[in-house]
Amino acid sequence: MSGSFTRVNYRLRPAKGVERRMMADAFLRLGPFGSIESYRYVGMGSVYFADFTLFHTVCGLTNLISIEDAEDEQTQKRFKFNVPLGSIDLRFGHSNVELPKLYWDNVRTICWLDYDGSLARPVLTDIRFLAARMSPGSLLAVTVDTRVDKVAGGPRKLLDQLIAQIESEEKIPTAITAAKNLKMSQVKSVFRKIMTQELTDGINERNAGMPREQQITFEQIFNFEYSDKAPMLTIGWIVFDEGQRGRFDECGFKKLAFARSGDEPFVVAPPFLTPHEMRELNRCDEAETYRSSDLPLPNDERKNYEAIRRYWPTGGYAEMT
């Protein structure tokens, strides 16, 4: 949400920049549901509005709403001053309050809830609301910090800390609660399961009493992990009705190398390479041969770059939006 802009320069986050470009590429595949230009975009732009600028330029989105949790008048003035497009509608308030104020009927929406904090009850509240209201053909993405908050004087065990953080033990996967233990290596997977279950529960409530062909379903297409400053997780789903299953298949999300439908993430790990090294990698052919017979690069860095190079800026390295 809005507070992080005072701590993080969003223009200098290479992994985030790559993630945005990948998401824009996925948005362009929504055509079977409706022209991408007809979609509304709801996000949390911060004072940089990097996602708004990119999605407007690449996808042609013009119906743009940015929700900013900023009550201070001076801070609000700063947001208004930095708005890069006249079509951005700024809404000041918490997402739990502002999302229900928007009109949702028959409006296909791309909604990216790009939180700067960890998974907590307000995040789940937003997911549950959108599960009940998003029109078929819409896309929902949720980004959270994957660190579990430690509260002074609070519980010491990681599982108990997470229960306190989301204010519910029932939302924790049963395999974890049965074992009475949560490992740090399991947190990202558990976060994904909790968010997906919240979406499932909201959709199940929505489907009650509806004919099967009109019932709402969803498919996961994003599972990004990255860390520019903090370890982050982005999960994204397409929401559609059962009668639109063919349209979802036509989108061809599975053809995207970064698309993920399950627990295995796509890890965005920008390499530490110079512009000259990246240019040389860009010149490689399909057999991965280079002009230089001995390319002096660590193999891991080369592989990291090759996994994301289509989405890496070819110029303007100082601003990674």
Side-chain angles (χ1 to χ4, degrees):
M1 298 283 279
S2 59
S4 63
F5 77 85
T6 60
R7 304 185 304 273
V8 180
N9 187 334
Y10 282 85
R11 297 177 301 165
L12 301 176
R13 301 177 67 190
K16 189 77 169 182
V18 169
E19 179 192 48
R20 287 193 198 100
R21 286 176 169 81
M22 289 179 170
M23 293 174 75
D25 195 10
F27 297 167
L28 292 171
R29 290 179 174 262
L30 289 166
F33 290 108
S35 66
I36 183 61
E37 295 86 356
S38 68
Y39 273 75
R40 173 179 64 179
Y41 177 66
V42 178
M44 300 170 172
S46 185
V47 294
Y48 300 102
F49 296 98
D51 51 332
F52 285 81
T53 302
L54 178 69
F55 299 155
H56 169 72
T57 302
V58 174
C59 304
L61 299 176
T62 57
N63 186 355
L64 309 166
I65 299 174
S66 185
I67 297 175
E68 307 298 340
D69 189 13
E71 297 181 359
D72 177 69
E73 184 177 350
Q74 191 63 29
T75 302
Q76 291 183 3
K77 286 182 179 179
R78 187 173 180 186
F79 277 99
K80 293 174 182 177
F81 178 80
N82 282 284
V83 170
L85 302 166
S87 55
I88 296 178
D89 178 8
L90 271 176
R91 303 292 183 97
F92 292 111
H94 195 281
S95 54
N96 285 178
V97 176
E98 295 304 317
L99 287 173
K101 292 180 181 179
L102 302 180
Y103 185 78
W104 294 95
D105 294 341
N106 301 316
V107 181
R108 285 187 297 272
T109 300
I110 295 169
C111 183
W112 184 9
L113 301 178
D114 191 7
Y115 304 101
D116 56 36
S118 188
L119 183 63
R121 175 61 69 87
V123 176
L124 300 179
T125 298
D126 284 342
I127 293 174
R128 178 67 70 98
F129 171 78
L130 292 169
R133 297 302 307 275
M134 292 189 89
S135 294
S138 294
L139 185 152
L140 171 61
V142 180
T143 297
V144 292
D145 188 321
T146 57
R147 293 173 293 189
V148 178
D149 296 332
K150 294 181 179 180
V151 180
R156 298 180 63 183
K157 290 182 63 177
L158 187 61
L159 176 57
D160 294 333
Q161 290 171 1
L162 179 56
I163 291 172
Q165 181 171 303
I166 65 173
E167 303 175 42
S168 173
E169 184 174 351
E170 295 178 353
K171 296 183 184 296
I172 307 293
T174 54
I176 300 297
T177 55
K180 298 182 180 180
N181 185 44
L182 174 64
K183 299 177 182 177
M184 191 65 70
S185 61
Q186 297 174 306
V187 169
K188 293 175 182 177
S189 176
V190 168
F191 275 23
R192 185 190 76 86
K193 288 181 172 66
I194 292 172
M195 291 191 290
T196 302
Q197 188 60 52
E198 198 69 18
L199 184 68
T200 301
D201 291 345
I203 286 177
N204 286 343
E205 291 176 1
R206 178 176 180 175
N207 286 336
M210 292 178 60
R212 179 169 177 76
E213 64 275 9
Q214 296 179 13
Q215 290 189 355
I216 302 298
T217 188
F218 67 91
E219 291 287 346
Q220 178 187 304
I221 61 168
F222 299 148
N223 184 351
F224 292 117
E225 291 183 9
Y226 63 93
S227 181
D228 287 316
K229 183 178 177 65
M232 305 298 288
L233 171 70
T234 299
I235 306 296
W237 311 270
I238 304 293
V239 176
F240 55 95
D241 65 49
E242 288 289 356
Q244 296 175 318
R245 173 67 63 178
R247 295 187 187 184
F248 172 78
D249 294 337
E250 285 179 42
C251 292
F253 293 112
K254 293 181 180 179
K255 296 178 182 179
L256 295 170
F258 57 81
R260 293 291 185 272
S261 60
D263 206 37
E264 178 190 357
F266 182 92
V267 180
V268 183
F272 295 97
L273 302 176
T274 68
H276 182 64
E277 290 167 342
M278 287 186 279
R279 282 194 293 270
E280 182 64 19
L281 287 170
N282 288 340
R283 294 187 182 107
C284 75
D285 59 24
E286 293 183 1
E288 295 187 2
T289 55
Y290 309 93
R291 291 186 311 162
S292 303
S293 58
D294 181 23
L295 195 63
L297 293 176
N299 194 48
D300 287 345
E301 295 295 272
R302 178 180 62 81
K303 288 184 176 180
N304 285 344
Y305 181 70
E306 288 170 351
I308 64 173
R309 67 175 177 173
R310 178 184 169 191
Y311 304 98
W312 188 268
T314 56
Y317 295 102
E319 184 165 324
M320 305 298 297
T321 57

